[in-house]
Amino acid sequence: MADDTVPGDTDAHAKGEYFFLDMGREQYGECTVVRFGKKCVLIDGAHYGDIDGQDESASVPEQLAEIFGKEAPFHFDLVVVTHCHADHIGCLPQLVQEGIVTADWALITHPELGFGRSADPDDTHADLADPRAAALAALLREEDMTFLSDAALERFADAVKGVEARYIEFIDALTEKGTTVIEYEGEPLPEDLVKQLKPTGIRLLGPSTKQLLLCTEQIGRTNKDAADAVKDVLANDPEIDEIGLYRRLLQQLDDSADGGYGRGAAMNCQSITFAFGPPEERVLLAGDMQFADPDVRGVDVEMDALRQIVRDAGPYVMFKTTHHTSHNGVDVSVLKELGNPALIVHSGGWNDPKHPDPSTLETLKSRRAKIKFARTDRNGMICVRPHMPVDKAIAYADGKLNDFSDNARDVAPPPAGGIVTIAPTLPGSVLPPPAPQQPSLSTPQIVIINLPPGPVDMSVAGVEIAVRTPGQLASVLGPRSGPADPQGMPVLASGRTTLPPLLFVTNSDALRASIGQKGAGTALAMIGGPHELLDFKGTAQATADQVRTKLGGGRYAGVVILGGYDVVPSHIVDVLDPSVRQALGSAVYDDHDHYYVWSDELYTDSDGDLSGEFPVSRIPDGKDASLLIRGLSSRGIEGKDSFGIRNIRRPFAEKVWSDSGPGQLEVSETFTSGLLQGRSLTGGYHYHMLHGSDVDGTEFTGEYLSRRGGSPVAFNVASVPRPFGGVVFSGCCWGALPVDRKAKDAALTGVRGRTASESIALSYLDAGANAFVGCTGSHYSGPDTTPALNYAMDFHKAFWALIRGSDASAAKALHEARLQFGKQIVQKSATLDEIDLARRLKNRSQFTCLGLGW
């Protein structure tokens, strides 16, 4: 084989490097540098504002300077715009106009094709006649952004509505600066360009002219639809603003007879597609090409042809996932056709709950033993060197490789040497943990006894009674003794007369085994007056039946369970209807709990619909009599102090908190647990929206602005104020888990109750909290600030609105919030996909009220 390289030309033997720039917070986005020695290609331009950077990430010029080891200008042999979406054109126009980027060649999407402009002279481009129609047409050509808040949507609209004009100016600027511009219409690369870039092994694979034109037709229909719809809407509502108009039009157009074809899909399927590198190091870069599901009328034949061309140019060592790892960009068949690449890269910002797509992540996760997966939303800027061994081929700024977490979950990174668990087979919808068979409770009796002066220890109807002086009582309660009557005995709810009649449930034998005979006797003796104690001796199911029977009489306002899960078993609940679980398939395993959670709600489910009819709370014993007695003695909500803290990626909590009254939340990493020292937070209301862990209940974590490895500790057991007379609501994963096992793992190993020193939740109760309301599994919310799209926002808001109302109690507020959220799920179920539905169902079921709650 002849060698036509120039002597001394080191580029001819250079190995390929592929840099994927950090896209920061903002959704979507892509900017890639391909470098073979001095031969360099720049593909796409990130977001419009990335010329200046974002708070959490460097600007595009700063990242280019890091790659090249020098300041601007940065020269490229070729600049590419794969297609005309705003997150790919991005800041390229400014980079060129300001001389930051220069290029010999530019291969760009033809502007008339990319923006749906027909060459037909009879086409008037009606959307351009009215500025509002032009703005709306620009928005409609992008992905659906209705999930954004109005403020975020306004910012997006400002960046998008001028993108077509900026693109034309970009082309003019390239030409003026001497760049040879190719407006791509499906033709092959010029021979001069191929020769110049020979060291890179560049191959232009498509799309074809016909595919481009079919996409252009669909984009053009979008433009016309926008103009027609604007005219119709404004005729009836001339005062509607741009954002309201967009939301209205998108709904109308989605309901129209366009066959359901996606508007953004047409632009995606115009993505210019390349292979780079020698055969043994082949790389595929294809923008947002929707290989798996084109969603463009008439384009299927052309897409099949393109997939064949791509397949023939392979196999590939590295693949940058298309359309930000969407289900319509990547699936099993696409990966197989590419030769199952060992190196996979995702590009996009981290403020994006739907990308990477959870089902696609599951597909990649199933191959985790054979791939290395890097993602800009978790790893920052990424460099891939396909010529190196797979385990050494990827360099990255932050985090870890093979992170298959989706961006909607609120799960903290696992500790080093994390625990590996195996899910048991859980038949049926409810599987209570095994409990020892015990004899049934005997018929209740009324016993009147004249007691001598204390101390006295005795047993009445199986209940241990302890009579103590104040000094003797302290030996049981410990140094932080709770409220007591004049004789020194603790009093239920500190004697509050507002406490409604409640049904208390426990297993006195198991409680004695957990906290001792004297402590259990003291606690149980506090139950009297209008309240009743149900001391069960049977199975969890039999106990639940007894509880429901008692509640049927209408005498009690709710149920309070005394003791941990080893005293009164909690139910393990499958939150998914069998049809939903079947529809999710293997995606259920992407959930840390496999959608099984601990729940006490079924103790009050009298009609068998898996939804409780009465509030229920639980006071865990924490292996400490004083904790249980302090919980029973709760004074209620004392004080009006409010404290809240959230992690960076959960801005929705700000809206929840401000709407409920207190105002702004602290944000981690800038606020850490060390800043709590000296602050008075002894009563009122606390709100935590942080990361939690199932293996460590002693701390909640935030996030680093730079997304470097690990997480800053935002709150820990030492942060709990003492005393504390209030209510805590926590969206932290497993934040209210009072045992050391997730629900799905309990059948394998059994459970052990946590102590106050092992749990923030129990530490709050030990400090006197009336209630700690939180999750028994991994929590889902996401960054969305639009309630309809956030998995938890409406639930959180409902709780805070109820707890601050008249006649407020945490147990009732949780019960009512759960009912409200459940109704919303039912109303929206027809519009939710399986993942969205499953996550909402999980949130509805997994919240529990620890503490007296009344």
Side-chain angles (χ1 to χ4, degrees):
M1 180 176 177
D3 184 358
D4 60 356
T5 59
V6 178
D9 182 4
T10 57
D11 291 335
H13 304 286
K15 296 295 186 179
E17 297 178 299
Y18 302 81
F19 297 88
F20 301 89
L21 275 60
D22 185 355
M23 295 294 99
R25 172 196 296 267
E26 192 172 347
Q27 190 179 41
Y28 306 127
E30 194 165 301
C31 185
T32 305
V33 173
V34 179
R35 183 169 69 181
F36 281 73
K38 295 181 180 180
K39 300 299 183 184
C40 296
V41 179
L42 177 64
I43 303 176
D44 293 332
H47 306 100
Y48 174 60
D50 283 349
I51 192 170
D52 298 317
Q54 302 174 37
D55 291 340
E56 305 85 5
S57 60
S59 67
V60 167
E62 289 171 330
Q63 293 185 67
L64 292 176
E66 183 176 349
I67 292 170
F68 291 107
K70 71 179 192 70
E71 296 302 316
F74 308 105
H75 184 74
F76 294 89
D77 295 87
L78 173 66
V79 167
V80 177
V81 177
T82 59
H83 62 293
C84 286
H85 270 146
D87 66 311
H88 289 256
I89 294 174
C91 61
L92 265 178
Q94 300 103 299
L95 292 173
V96 170
Q97 289 162 356
E98 295 181 21
I100 297 172
V101 164
T102 61
D104 294 333
W105 297 81
L107 177 66
I108 63 174
T109 300
H110 195 296
E112 290 186 0
L113 301 180
F115 293 103
R117 305 302 176 195
S118 169
D120 186 344
D122 294 329
D123 190 335
T124 59
H125 304 317
D127 64 296
L128 298 178
D130 184 320
R132 290 167 297 186
L136 266 296
L139 279 168
L140 292 172
R141 290 192 295 263
E142 298 291 328
E143 306 289 348
D144 182 350
M145 292 291 182
T146 52
F147 66 88
L148 294 175
S149 66
D150 284 355
L153 189 51
E154 285 178 4
R155 291 193 296 271
F156 178 75
D158 287 341
V160 165
K161 60 189 177 185
V163 71
E164 187 173 2
R166 288 198 303 274
Y167 193 63
I168 301 301
E169 293 171 358
F170 164 61
I171 297 172
D172 291 341
L174 285 168
T175 303
E176 290 172 4
K177 293 177 182 292
T179 301
T180 302
V181 178
I182 306 166
E183 297 178 355
Y184 182 62
E185 298 181 83
E187 70 279 6
L189 293 177
E191 290 185 8
D192 287 349
L193 176 57
V194 173
K195 185 175 181 180
Q196 182 171 336
L197 289 176
K198 183 177 180 180
T200 71
I202 189 171
R203 289 189 60 181
L204 176 60
L205 305 178
S208 67
T209 302
K210 186 173 181 180
Q211 180 167 326
L212 291 171
L213 291 173
L214 288 168
C215 293
T216 298
E217 290 176 10
Q218 189 156 304
I219 300 167
R221 281 193 294 274
T222 297
N223 297 337
K224 185 177 184 303
D225 286 344
D228 293 345
V230 167
K231 183 178 179 181
D232 292 342
V233 171
L234 292 178
N236 297 314
D237 189 0
E239 300 301 320
I240 191 170
D241 62 18
E242 184 176 275
I243 300 307
L245 183 58
Y246 171 67
R247 296 189 189 280
R248 178 90 60 86
L249 294 187
L250 202 63
Q251 181 62 50
Q252 290 181 2
L253 294 173
D254 284 344
D255 294 339
S256 71
D258 191 36
Y261 290 100
R263 288 169 295 280
M267 279 187 163
N268 290 338
C269 289
Q270 290 185 333
S271 292
I272 301 174
T273 300
F274 292 103
F276 284 97
E280 66 276 11
E281 298 164 15
R282 189 82 81 208
V283 168
L284 180 66
L285 302 176
D288 281 357
M289 186 63 72
Q290 293 184 196
F291 287 124
D293 181 10
D295 202 21
V296 176
R297 182 186 280 108
V299 87
D300 290 349
V301 173
E302 292 302 311
M303 185 61 74
D304 288 344
L306 175 60
R307 287 179 63 163
Q308 183 63 53
I309 292 169
V310 169
R311 183 188 305 120
D312 292 344
Y316 300 89
V317 174
M318 194 264 281
F319 172 47
K320 191 281 302 176
T321 56
T322 50
H323 197 197
H324 314 285
T325 321
S326 286
H327 69 282
N328 50 31
V330 187
D331 64 8
V332 172
S333 68
V334 171
L335 293 173
K336 183 178 180 180
E337 289 173 7
L338 301 183
N340 292 314
L343 304 172
I344 307 288
V345 174
H346 161 85
S347 180
W350 53 256
N351 193 13
D352 188 345
K354 296 185 182 297
H355 299 88
D357 170 69
S359 63
T360 308
L361 278 173
E362 179 60 31
T363 297
L364 296 176
K365 185 178 180 181
S366 68
R367 298 160 183 254
R368 59 187 176 274
K370 298 180 180 180
I371 68 171
K372 291 297 181 182
F373 175 51
R375 45 194 292 189
T376 61
D377 61 338
R378 300 293 175 120
N379 301 127
M381 187 164 69
I382 297 161
C383 175
V384 182
R385 299 180 175 94
H387 57 279
M388 298 181 68
V390 170
D391 60 345
K392 298 179 180 179
I394 302 179
Y396 53 97
D398 302 312
K400 62 178 183 178
L401 296 182
N402 282 18
D403 183 345
F404 301 102
S405 303
D406 70 73
N407 287 327
R409 258 188 321 217
D410 309 309
V411 183
I419 296 176
V420 177
T421 57
I422 302 174
T425 301
L426 299 175
S429 61
V430 180
L431 180 69
Q437 295 291 329
Q438 299 184 23
S440 300
L441 183 65
S442 59
T443 304
Q445 302 179 40
I446 299 176
V447 180
I448 301 175
I449 301 175
N450 292 318
L451 298 176
V456 174
D457 293 313
M458 62 187 303
S459 177
V460 178
V463 176
E464 294 293 330
I465 304 296
V467 180
R468 296 287 184 272
T469 66
Q472 294 162 337
L473 181 64
S475 68
V476 176
L477 294 181
R480 299 183 304 279
S481 57
D485 67 10
Q487 284 72 46
M489 294 300 297
V491 178
L492 180 66
S494 295
R496 284 185 284 131
T497 59
T498 57
L499 198 68
L502 299 170
L503 179 63
F504 290 81
V505 180
T506 196
N507 179 327
S508 61
D509 290 343
L511 190 63
R512 290 189 196 96
S514 182
I515 63 174
Q517 182 169 316
K518 293 180 180 179
T522 300
L524 299 181
M526 297 170 68
I527 312 302
H531 316 291
E532 182 178 349
L533 175 66
L534 176 59
D535 187 359
F536 85 91
K537 303 296 181 183
T539 64
Q541 186 61 52
T543 304
D545 292 341
Q546 292 181 55
V547 171
R548 295 163 189 159
T549 300
K550 292 282 186 181
L551 293 174
R555 176 182 171 187
Y556 303 108
V559 172
V560 181
I561 299 171
L562 301 182
Y565 291 179
D566 51 346
V567 175
V568 180
S570 186
H571 295 89
I572 297 176
V573 175
D574 181 350
V575 305
L576 304 181
D577 180 271
S579 62
V580 177
R581 183 169 286 276
Q582 183 177 5
L584 284 177
S586 63
V588 298
Y589 302 112
D590 192 47
D591 177 72
H592 287 281
D593 306 286
H594 299 183
Y595 293 101
Y596 293 97
V597 299
W598 295 106
S599 175
D600 292 327
E601 184 184 9
L602 298 190
Y603 277 108
T604 69
D605 173 24
S606 59
D607 58 8
D609 64 352
L610 304 185
S611 177
E613 280 72 59
F614 292 85
V616 58
S617 59
R618 177 189 290 264
I619 308 177
D621 59 82
K623 308 300 179 184
D624 183 356
S626 64
L627 188 155
L628 181 65
I629 294 169
R630 196 168 289 109
L632 282 165
S633 306
S634 171
R635 298 179 185 274
I637 303 173
E638 295 183 310
K640 297 182 179 180
D641 287 345
S642 296
F643 168 74
I645 182 169
R646 68 171 176 89
N647 61 51
I648 297 166
R649 302 191 190 193
R650 296 300 177 258
F652 83 92
E654 208 74 52
K655 179 67 172 172
V656 171
W657 199 229
S658 62
D659 283 356
S660 68
Q664 190 170 358
L665 296 172
E666 304 291 355
V667 181
S668 182
E669 81 175 301
T670 52
F671 191 94
T672 60
S673 57
L675 298 176
L676 283 164
Q677 296 176 2
R679 292 187 60 165
S680 176
L681 304 170
T682 58
Y685 308 93
H686 285 196
Y687 180 33
H688 300 289
M689 188 56 251
L690 297 161
H691 294 303
S693 167
D694 65 305
V695 297
D696 184 359
T698 66
E699 61 183 32
F700 296 149
T701 57
E703 294 154 345
Y704 285 114
L705 292 174
S706 63
R707 298 191 314 284
R708 59 183 181 267
S711 301
V713 176
F715 198 92
N716 57 25
V717 290
S719 308
V720 175
R722 297 177 182 275
F724 178 76
V727 168
V728 184
F729 184 89
S730 166
C732 308
C733 296
W734 302 286
L737 188 66
V739 292
D740 65 344
R741 291 290 184 273
K742 294 181 285 191
K744 78 176 184 67
D745 298 327
L748 289 177
T749 57
V751 297
R752 179 187 65 82
R754 285 175 170 167
T755 65
S757 64
E758 297 173 318
S759 164
I760 290 174
L762 269 63
S763 289
Y764 264 109
L765 299 182
D766 193 44
N770 177 262
F772 185 101
V773 177
C775 306
T776 62
S778 63
H779 177 265
Y780 288 100
S781 57
D784 294 306
T785 56
T786 302
L789 295 165
N790 190 284
Y791 301 113
M793 187 173 179
D794 281 335
F795 189 91
H796 290 212
K797 290 181 70 173
F799 176 84
W800 282 117
L802 290 160
I803 195 66
R804 291 176 177 276
S806 59
D807 190 29
S809 71
K812 285 177 61 177
L814 174 59
H815 176 67
E816 293 296 329
R818 187 182 284 127
L819 291 178
Q820 290 181 22
F821 195 57
K823 289 179 182 178
Q824 284 189 10
I825 294 173
V826 171
Q827 292 167 356
K828 296 177 180 179
S829 59
T831 63
L832 299 174
D833 62 28
E834 288 83 1
I835 289 287
D836 288 350
L837 178 61
R839 290 172 171 177
R840 286 171 169 80
L841 288 171
K842 185 180 184 186
N843 282 343
R844 195 216 75 85
S845 295
Q846 71 168 325
F847 274 85
T848 189
C849 180
L850 301 182
L852 182 61
W854 294 88

